Amino acid sequence: MGDWGSGRVLRDRNAGLYLLGVVVSGFGTTAMWLVAGIWVKSLTGSDSLAALTVFAMWAPVLAGPVLGVLADRLPRRALLVAACLVMAVLLPALCLVDSAGRVWLLFAVLLVYGICGTLHEAAEAALVANAVDVRLLGDFNGLRMTAGESMKLLAPLAGAALFTRFGGASVALLDAVTFALAAGLFLLVRVDRDAPEPMAAGAGGFARALEGGRQLWGSPVLRPLVSAAAAVMFLAGINGAVVYAVADDVLGRPPAYVGVLYAVQGAGSVLSGLVAGPLLRRMPVRVFTAAGTALFALGCGARALPYEAAALAGSALIGAGLPCVLIAALTTVQREVPDSVVGRTAATANTLVFVPNALALALGAGLVALVDVTLLLPALTAAGLAVSLLLVTAPVGTVTSRRAPA
């Protein structure tokens, strides 16, 4: 197959419909993610409560192994559509949030938001593995990353403008509409085999939830990739926690300059998603992951230099490197794991990868008060390069696709 796998993905009816659904729903989700914190801050004046909005949306990923079981026991397309419709119906309830006393309703909706999002990720991983040619999974996951990151460049501005002009309820209604549209697009995806395989007799609920972890730990291919992704996301969490110190202490710029750094990082992620598929076909998956890890590590070090050009270049490298690690892990899960357990395995992998990121955000917030950021960032570089080196020098397992190419 040629290098233009991305073009083949976009010409594929199922992949095109799904990516369009990701773009539509991602626009509303990203806008809501930003506005939720601003909304709570404006009603309560509390920075702590505003920060908790992100935690409320993220917390359900801790239950990923359990929620992933549903993606392996129910038709995946129906689960995607149902999750979107639940949010489309629930989000208009936020029109009632007009005072500090009703902020609890926003947190309740955000918690359900996170649950639906975790289910969506697990069902998507399983559905896409059957709906998209196995040879195009890397291209698809790269384009999906590009679609999501592109929305992060546009949606926050739209969400902030809507909130300023019409209030938080307008953003909630916009998000509800995008979920309804996405449900219709996902409903149009054609899947030949969407019914999960029967569960082995006698398998209890706890054993089912642990099966994803057993798949990851038992695979000589998946174990190092997911471990590396978890390590890199831990480092990324610390890096994210010190970004305001980079703007202030290193560059001497106001806090708003962080928005510029994030925009450049997002642009790097968009580019990385576009080239991920062709590179995954040309390079061993561990080398691809190690290269992404090295780019991220070098980007962290560049931010320690007192030059704006270095900080911007470092942000671009971070944005380009991180998606490589995540795309490689997800694509390999879809290729390696049997269909009957791919949903919970993907959900377990997400839990293992993103929980360290959240913990590191808290750790980084403490470290930046104790350690000079110009020392902390080079330490992240050294740690990241060590992870990259381990990936390419450790014994290599054999990738065995669970499906024959179409």
Side-chain angles (χ1 to χ4, degrees):
M1 186 173 66
D3 287 337
W4 300 105
S6 296
R8 290 190 60 188
V9 169
L10 293 175
R11 289 192 298 269
D12 181 272
R13 181 182 183 276
N14 283 334
L17 283 170
Y18 191 85
L19 287 172
L20 184 57
V22 168
V23 169
V24 170
S25 65
F27 185 89
T29 294
T30 305
M32 190 66 205
W33 189 288
L34 169 72
V35 165
I38 301 174
W39 199 350
V40 170
K41 169 70 175 177
S42 67
L43 290 175
T44 67
S46 171
D47 291 326
S48 298
L49 286 176
L52 280 177
T53 59
V54 177
F55 178 77
M57 296 178 76
W58 172 88
V61 76
L62 293 168
V66 176
L67 294 173
V69 174
L70 293 177
D72 289 330
R73 302 308 304 143
L74 299 172
R76 280 77 179 255
R77 184 180 64 171
L79 191 57
L80 285 176
V81 173
C84 288
L85 291 178
V86 166
M87 293 313 305
V89 171
L90 194 58
L91 279 163
L94 295 183
C95 293
L96 299 174
V97 179
D98 55 3
S99 65
R102 290 184 173 178
V103 163
W104 67 268
L105 179 58
L106 176 57
F107 279 100
V109 171
L110 292 178
L111 186 61
V112 177
Y113 207 123
I115 292 171
C116 288
T118 302
L119 280 172
H120 190 285
E121 293 285 338
E124 173 197 316
L127 180 67
V128 166
N130 284 318
V132 177
D133 187 333
V134 67
R135 295 168 298 184
L136 300 178
L137 285 174
D139 297 275
F140 176 88
N141 289 324
L143 286 174
R144 189 200 184 288
M145 180 72 69
T146 294
E149 292 300 321
S150 297
M151 291 305 99
K152 291 179 182 179
L153 298 177
L154 302 174
L157 296 176
L162 273 176
F163 180 84
T164 301
R165 181 66 178 85
F166 301 107
S170 65
V171 182
L173 292 175
L174 168 67
D175 200 10
V177 171
T178 63
F179 270 116
L181 291 174
L185 290 167
F186 295 148
L187 192 61
L188 295 175
V189 174
R190 297 171 183 167
V191 185
D192 294 332
R193 183 165 57 90
D194 192 23
E197 298 174 9
M199 183 70 66
F206 186 67
R208 294 176 184 177
L210 292 179
E211 181 59 31
R214 282 194 288 267
Q215 290 287 333
L216 295 174
W217 183 254
S219 168
V221 176
L222 289 172
R223 185 170 62 247
L225 290 178
V226 174
S227 298
V232 172
M233 291 306 293
F234 180 83
L235 299 177
I238 297 177
N239 175 68
V242 305
V243 66
Y244 285 97
V246 170
D248 184 12
D249 300 340
V250 178
L251 301 177
R253 299 299 296 265
Y257 190 74
V258 169
V260 177
L261 297 179
Y262 275 130
V264 174
Q265 182 174 325
S269 296
V270 169
L271 177 61
S272 181
L274 290 174
V275 302
L279 290 178
L280 271 173
R281 290 195 298 276
R282 288 175 173 268
M283 303 166 63
V285 67
R286 277 209 199 181
V287 175
F288 177 77
T289 306
T293 302
L295 287 176
F296 161 77
L298 294 173
C300 290
R303 280 183 168 180
L305 301 175
Y307 308 105
E308 286 190 30
L312 294 173
S315 295
L317 289 175
I318 291 169
L322 281 178
C324 296
V325 179
L326 301 176
I327 291 168
L330 174 58
T331 301
T332 309
V333 166
Q334 291 171 320
R335 289 174 174 170
E336 279 275 299
V337 177
D339 179 66
S340 60
V341 294
V342 69
R344 79 200 76 170
T345 304
T348 301
N350 282 338
T351 298
L352 294 174
V353 168
F354 289 110
V355 165
N357 182 258
L359 296 176
L361 283 169
L363 176 62
L367 282 176
V368 74
L370 302 173
V371 182
D372 192 307
V373 70
T374 58
L375 299 177
L376 188 57
L377 287 170
L380 295 182
T381 298
L385 292 177
V387 172
S388 179
L389 183 63
L390 285 173
L391 272 171
V392 295
T393 57
V396 180
T398 302
V399 178
T400 55
S401 174
R402 62 189 184 85
R403 296 188 300 140

